[in-house]
């Protein structure tokens, strides 16, 4: 079964899909929560049957290989800057 918008349009977006064993739940759309935009996280919508409320759970988005390389590069740059500072201190007679 599918759930679609109540519209006069010929083409409407499917809001949800469910199969036998699942149930449709009526919900007041005026109180429908909006997800937070949290960098590095994705969200999934859940329904609490006891409180009859919707909520989002957030999970980490795995970093791409490029993001991991960028983080490694930044750590290397910081390490190099720290070493350069230590060498300068030694050359200037500091501890």
């Amino acid at each position: 079964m599918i759930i679609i918008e109540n519209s006069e349009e010929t083409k409407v977006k499917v809001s949800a899909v469910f199969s036998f064993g699942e149930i449709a739940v009526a919900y007041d759309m005026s109180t429908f929560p909006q997800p937070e935009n949290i960098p590095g996280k994705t969200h999934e919508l859940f329904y609490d049957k006891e409180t009859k409320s919707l909520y989002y759970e957030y999970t980490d988005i795995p970093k791409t290989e490029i993001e991991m390389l960028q983080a490694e590069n930044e750590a290397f740059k910081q390490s190099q800057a720290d070493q350069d500072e230590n060498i300068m201190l030694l050359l200037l007679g500091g501890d």
Side-chain angles (χ1 to χ4, degrees):
M1 180 179 285
I2 63 171
I3 297 174
I4 60 173
E5 295 177 12
N6 186 9
S7 170
E8 297 295 322
E9 299 291 321
T10 303
K11 179 180 174 184
V12 292
K13 184 176 181 180
V14 173
S15 302
V17 177
F18 61 96
S19 61
F20 294 106
E22 297 171 330
I23 59 172
V25 176
Y27 192 81
D28 179 6
M29 294 303 287
S30 67
T31 62
F32 196 86
Q34 295 300 312
E36 295 178 51
N37 185 14
I38 303 172
K41 302 266 185 188
T42 186
H43 60 272
E44 290 183 282
L45 184 62
F46 286 86
Y47 179 75
D48 186 321
K49 290 181 181 180
E50 290 180 5
T51 63
K52 297 183 178 181
S53 62
L54 293 170
Y55 65 95
Y56 290 95
E57 286 189 3
Y58 298 87
T59 55
D60 292 330
I61 297 172
K63 291 188 178 204
T64 64
E65 188 173 342
I66 290 175
E67 289 171 325
M68 289 187 292
L69 288 171
Q70 287 172 333
E72 186 178 316
N73 188 36
E74 287 303 314
F76 174 76
K77 285 180 183 179
Q78 184 60 49
S79 175
Q80 188 65 46
D82 292 345
Q83 287 179 11
D84 290 349
E85 184 178 344
N86 288 337
I87 290 170
M88 269 310 217
L89 288 172
L90 286 172
L91 289 174
L92 295 173
D95 288 322

